[in-house]
Amino acid sequence: MSVRPAAAPAAASSVASSAVLATVGIGVQGVAKLVVTVVVGRVFGTETLGQTTALLSLSVFVALLWPNAAGNTASRALAIALRGRRSDAAVNRLLGRSMLVSTVVLAVATVPIALAWGNGPGTVLGGVAVVVGYGLYCYARGAQLGYGRAGRVALWDSVTSVLALGLLVLACVARLEPFVLLPLAIGYTVFAIACWPRGNGRTGQQEPTAGVIGFAAWNVLAVVTSNGLLQLTMISAQVTSSARDAGVYAAAFTLATPASMLGQALGQVLVPAFAHRSAHGSLRSRGAALLVVGFAAGTAVVFGLVAALAGWFLPIVYPAEGAAAVADLRYLMVGVWVFTVGLVPAALLLAAGRSRQVASASVAGFVVGAVLMAVLGPVTGVAGGTTGFLVGSVVNLVAVVGLGLRRG
């Protein structure tokens, strides 16, 4: 049976529609993850909420060590193959094998960390399952956006979120506290199976694989040093604070992190969209500069409203922890805004193949932020982690914007 070649998306109008669809999809997943943590906190208590949120943060952080970068690489490489009317079979095979190896390695590495945090066998199993499922999800999602299939991504994001929430209800009814992470893991895995890249159907000349792994490797450093700093704030709270304080911080963290998904959704669309156009990844162009400034202004309004209304909605969402978490959420939202704005110029640079420069620029922010967390965390508690995240994100934003104003 022949496979119909995937068509490259139209240059202008498809970027906006794809951004909306990708944002809707990742927003649905974010809501599902938020509902999971809310239900866990209400049904099983504050300490279980802290453990669950820490394991979710660990899964996101671990995915940055290859799956997320592989997804970014697939989105760019598959888009370039479409633009050049070449087969992407060789690229898919190479990245698929890399995902298989990384999934096994990262799953095994997660076990001793989860055990060291005092989790039981069932919770460890759920944590490892989320690591595997979320990693596969990141890769498959990036690949489908490379094909310009934001609609398909949004559909399966919605379907698997409903599936995960349905399974969570069953786990709560059966009082299966150790297995509350498995519903999310199953949802992510189903998405990956449904959206795994199966090629663009073209025959003949192959898209070259030279440089693909190198691009992904540099992208690992880029995403770890930018996105990873956010996840370290929750991990820092779990390690340096009491179980009660970590649970309160988890309430703020789970409501702040969905906001960062706006930038991630837009970035995932911009990489293949600008790769289709052979953009040079410079902020010197009027369009790129307006995109960054407009996004920064728009998200400042949205995030500011979240911070302003925190005292009202947090106690509703988390009756036990909400009032105590208001200050944490407001402080965290400042760092999340800075972090989110930095994702857009970074995406423009990645689309132009400048992952090495993005990685080099973001290392400074990560180092500064991580050092501040290590120094301030034991002294100031959860606020130390937020301070490290904020300062590190500022350093990273300045560095990435500076790169974007230079020619590649």
Side-chain angles (χ1 to χ4, degrees):
M1 184 171 89
S2 62
V3 180
R4 180 182 291 175
S13 62
S14 68
V15 176
S17 60
S18 294
V20 171
L21 287 170
T23 301
V24 168
I26 205 167
V28 169
Q29 286 285 359
V31 168
K33 187 182 291 186
L34 174 62
V35 170
V36 167
T37 56
V38 170
V39 171
V40 168
R42 289 195 171 206
V43 175
F44 299 114
T46 301
E47 291 190 16
T48 301
L49 172 63
Q51 291 176 329
T52 300
T53 306
L55 286 172
L56 287 174
S57 295
L58 178 65
S59 71
V60 174
F61 184 81
V62 167
L64 301 178
L65 300 179
W66 190 260
N68 191 291
N72 288 342
T73 303
S75 72
R76 179 175 184 268
L78 301 185
I80 291 174
L82 279 178
R83 188 186 73 213
R85 300 182 181 275
R86 293 183 291 269
S87 169
D88 58 12
V91 172
N92 273 327
R93 284 196 300 270
L94 178 62
L95 289 175
R97 286 196 297 266
S98 77
M99 280 300 302
L100 177 63
V101 173
S102 68
T103 297
V104 173
V105 171
L106 295 176
V108 171
T110 300
V111 174
I113 298 175
L115 288 173
W117 288 352
N119 294 293
T123 306
V124 171
L125 174 63
V128 172
V130 171
V131 165
V132 172
Y134 183 73
L136 297 176
Y137 164 82
C138 289
Y139 174 67
R141 195 174 202 278
Q144 290 301 320
L145 290 175
Y147 288 135
R149 298 170 181 164
R152 182 175 182 177
V153 166
L155 171 64
W156 280 102
D157 270 331
S158 302
V159 170
T160 54
S161 294
V162 172
L163 172 64
L165 292 178
L167 293 174
L168 176 65
V169 170
L170 293 177
C172 290
V173 170
R175 304 297 297 181
L176 298 174
E177 180 177 352
F179 303 104
V180 292
L181 286 173
L182 284 180
L184 273 179
I186 292 171
Y188 287 137
T189 303
V190 170
F191 180 101
I193 293 171
C195 295
W196 198 260
R198 295 170 175 86
N200 59 17
R202 297 193 179 276
T203 58
Q205 185 179 7
Q206 295 277 334
E207 176 66 24
T209 58
V212 169
I213 295 298
F215 179 90
W218 281 109
N219 196 241
V220 168
L221 184 58
V223 295
V224 165
T225 52
S226 57
N227 299 26
L229 200 58
L230 175 59
Q231 304 308 318
L232 280 182
T233 61
M234 187 61 230
I235 295 173
S236 172
Q238 183 71 13
V239 172
T240 63
S241 305
S242 67
R244 169 68 186 176
D245 288 344
V248 169
Y249 190 76
F253 185 84
T254 54
L255 287 171
T257 49
S260 70
M261 293 180 178
L262 291 173
Q264 294 176 40
L266 183 60
Q268 286 178 332
V269 171
L270 288 178
V271 170
F274 277 78
H276 276 295
R277 297 183 181 189
S278 297
H280 297 292
S282 173
L283 294 179
R284 289 174 176 266
S285 70
R286 186 169 181 268
L290 285 176
L291 174 65
V292 175
V293 173
F295 182 76
T299 50
V301 173
V302 174
F303 292 6
L305 284 174
V306 172
L309 297 175
W312 169 71
F313 66 80
L314 253 176
I316 297 175
V317 178
Y318 292 106
E321 307 88 5
V326 171
D328 289 336
L329 177 61
R330 287 173 173 165
Y331 190 20
L332 191 55
M333 286 302 297
V334 179
V336 170
W337 177 74
V338 176
F339 160 77
T340 302
V341 172
L343 294 177
V344 178
L348 298 177
L349 295 172
L350 290 174
R354 299 170 67 181
S355 66
R356 180 173 181 173
Q357 295 179 24
V358 173
S360 300
S362 59
V363 163
F366 181 83
V367 171
V368 170
V371 168
L372 282 176
M373 287 183 192
V375 173
L376 298 178
V379 179
T380 62
V382 296
T386 305
T387 301
F389 171 58
L390 172 60
V391 175
S393 296
V394 169
V395 173
N396 183 55
L397 173 61
V398 171
V400 175
V401 169
L403 263 179
L405 293 175
R406 291 172 45 195
R407 300 192 183 278

